[in-house]
Amino acid sequence: MSLNTLPLLFVNLGGEMVYILDQRLRAQNISAEKARRVMHDIVGTMLNRRFMEELFKPQELYSKKAVRTVFDRLAHASIMRLNAASMDKLYDLMTMAFKYQVSLCLRPNDILLTTLNHLDAILKFVEEIDIANEKARCCSCCLRWFSHFFEWTTITSQVEYVYELLIETYGSLSDGDFHLIRQTILNFFQDMHIRVSIFLKDKVQNSNGRFVIPTNGQVPHKTEVPGTIKYFDEKGSPTYSESFTPGSHFNDVQLEGSYDLHGPRRTNLGTNMYSASRIETTVSPAKTVVHSSDLETSAPNPLAKAQLDLLSSLLSVEPRQSENKTEFRLNLFNTDEEEEEASAGCSKLSDEEGSLVITIDASKVTKLQLVLFGKEKLSSM
């Protein structure tokens, strides 16, 4: 297991969450002001500077339940509210999208380029938010509204700081290090085979939830296209070559992806697949059953609630009281009927499974996890 996997998993899943929420906010015609506040609060919380510094320290990958718990808190870091069924769907879409991207990486270090694509998109979102907020602050009639809803400091610098951490941590890793990171991520997703409509329609996912990996197309950078057999003498010098038909069409990559802040990534992995022409963000109704040890669908227990409140404290986010005038519910399903049906299924599954207990091995808890569970105060970090 690689000790440098957690930041990549967190940033990529966070990027997918931003894509999905942006699409659903538009689909439900949520007002521009509320949508900007949601994206501002979630991205600002997710990429909090002190939280990122702790996250990038070498440490073992969290359990599936712990990762899910963190994203439950992030999804509710603003005025938006999701019920259990919609939260399940959001997390399913996030995890399956990133699993597919990791599976398609031509080289292990393409995972970093995929991460940078996610971060590029997040940066574009927050830059648009900062511009909109600045225009609003110039309007005196909107000043009180936006001073209450938005922080006056830009979150663009937070995103750029994560760029620096990524390049500093992963920019000089060897191919072997990235191989280990890729293996660790795929092990994390190993038992997750959730069918997603957008993948099924594109025929890149089978009915059993497993992905279809293409056997043609681009080859990795600095790799020769199949179709030639070269012969060498005992001194290692080439003597002659033969050509053959590889059976599929291949093309080479002329230029390598850039790690620069605004550089070309040369890959579509990690870009937004929920564009205007690809608006469906649904999980197939006949979804593969997910083990209860992987995804928590019942109401949070007191220990989980305490952990989330402490995570909010770590990220400098005060737990908000419900305000009916500002909060709104976001539906990840096409209709309320679908959401109610899924909620009923979640409740039935929870009743059958009973209570779940989280066991913690204190000898292996990191400083960040100690903070999350209330054993260490932020001031001591």
Side-chain angles (χ1 to χ4, degrees):
M1 174 184 290
S2 171
L3 300 180
N4 293 314
T5 305
L6 183 59
L8 295 179
L9 179 70
F10 182 82
V11 173
N12 282 284
L13 289 179
E16 288 299 321
M17 182 172 70
V18 168
Y19 291 156
I20 298 166
L21 293 180
D22 174 69
Q23 190 277 325
R24 294 310 301 167
L25 289 168
R26 295 175 187 272
Q28 292 187 213
N29 296 319
I30 302 300
S31 67
E33 292 82 2
K34 288 185 176 181
R36 283 197 298 267
R37 176 180 176 182
V38 168
M39 301 302 284
H40 178 280
D41 290 346
I42 289 178
V43 174
T45 302
M46 180 173 63
L47 302 182
N48 177 275
R49 188 183 184 97
R50 281 180 286 181
F51 179 53
M52 286 291 103
E53 289 173 351
E54 286 295 321
L55 197 72
F56 272 80
K57 292 180 180 179
Q59 57 190 295
E60 292 185 359
L61 193 61
Y62 291 173
S63 67
K64 295 177 183 179
K65 185 174 295 185
V67 173
R68 166 63 189 265
T69 300
V70 171
F71 281 101
D72 278 350
R73 164 50 64 190
L74 289 176
H76 295 91
S78 187
I79 59 175
M80 180 187 69
R81 294 294 173 261
L82 302 172
N83 69 9
S86 286
M87 187 63 222
D88 284 346
K89 172 167 282 189
L90 173 61
Y91 192 72
D92 289 347
L93 290 167
M94 290 161 48
T95 53
M96 294 307 291
F98 184 44
K99 179 181 179 179
Y100 181 59
Q101 293 158 10
V102 175
S103 301
L104 289 185
C105 287
L106 298 177
R107 301 177 302 164
N109 61 346
D110 282 351
I111 295 175
L112 180 55
L113 295 174
T114 302
T115 308
L116 292 176
N117 269 336
H118 278 120
L119 211 56
D120 290 341
I122 292 175
L123 181 61
K124 184 177 179 180
F125 277 120
V126 300
E127 285 177 342
E128 292 174 354
I129 292 172
D130 288 339
I131 292 173
N133 291 348
E134 185 63 32
K135 290 180 179 179
R137 286 195 290 267
C138 294
C139 180
S140 59
C141 64
C142 297
L143 181 59
R144 180 176 301 177
W145 174 269
F146 279 92
S147 63
H148 175 70
F149 278 168
F150 296 100
E151 298 177 1
W152 286 70
T153 58
T154 176
I155 57 176
T156 303
S157 59
Q158 292 180 232
V159 184
E160 293 175 346
Y161 181 63
V162 178
Y163 272 106
E164 297 175 5
L165 290 176
L166 284 171
I167 301 307
E168 179 183 341
T169 304
Y170 302 100
S172 59
L173 291 188
S174 65
D175 289 341
D177 292 328
F178 277 112
H179 268 292
L180 187 57
I181 290 174
R182 183 175 184 271
Q183 181 186 25
T184 304
I185 293 175
L186 291 178
N187 283 341
F188 180 85
F189 292 129
Q190 185 173 8
D191 298 324
M192 303 176 72
H193 306 294
I194 304 162
R195 293 187 293 177
V196 179
S197 296
I198 194 170
F199 292 143
L200 293 170
K201 287 185 176 181
D202 288 346
K203 300 185 185 303
V204 298
Q205 190 179 33
N206 292 324
S207 58
N208 61 3
R210 298 181 183 275
F211 292 119
V212 179
I213 305 301
T215 57
N216 56 9
Q218 287 187 341
V219 298
H221 182 62
K222 295 183 179 179
T223 301
E224 295 185 6
V225 174
T228 303
I229 302 175
K230 295 182 179 180
Y231 295 86
F232 299 83
D233 58 22
E234 63 277 5
K235 296 181 180 179
S237 301
T239 54
Y240 67 97
S241 62
E242 295 179 356
S243 298
F244 68 95
T245 302
S248 298
H249 178 71
F250 298 94
N251 57 286
D252 58 348
V253 180
Q254 299 294 333
L255 299 174
E256 188 172 13
S258 171
Y259 293 162
D260 294 339
L261 179 60
H262 298 289
R265 310 306 176 197
R266 311 291 181 186
T267 179
N268 290 326
L269 300 178
T271 56
N272 191 354
M273 66 178 181
Y274 307 110
S275 58
S277 60
R278 304 293 300 277
I279 60 173
E280 186 171 2
T281 58
T282 61
V283 178
S284 174
K287 185 177 77 172
T288 303
V289 175
V290 182
H291 297 294
S292 61
S293 60
D294 294 342
L295 295 179
E296 178 74 24
T297 57
S298 59
N301 58 39
L303 178 59
K305 185 178 184 301
Q307 178 185 7
L308 298 182
D309 288 341
L310 287 164
L311 175 60
S312 296
S313 177
L314 173 64
L315 301 179
S316 302
V317 177
E318 294 295 334
R320 294 181 172 86
Q321 298 293 329
S322 297
E323 299 179 8
N324 295 329
K325 294 182 179 181
T326 58
E327 289 186 356
F328 66 92
R329 183 177 66 89
L330 189 68
N331 187 354
L332 267 288
F333 294 81
N334 292 329
T335 64
D336 290 339
E337 289 75 14
E338 289 183 13
E339 187 180 44
E340 291 174 0
E341 182 180 350
S343 297
C346 290
S347 299
K348 182 178 180 180
L349 182 62
S350 300
D351 294 339
E352 292 175 353
E353 291 173 349
S355 301
L356 298 175
V357 178
I358 301 176
T359 303
I360 305 169
D361 184 353
S363 64
K364 297 181 179 180
V365 176
T366 64
K367 178 182 286 189
L368 177 57
Q369 291 168 324
L370 287 172
V371 174
L372 297 183
F373 284 96
K375 301 301 182 181
E376 181 171 331
K377 295 183 178 180
L378 179 64
S379 59
S380 64
M381 295 168 56

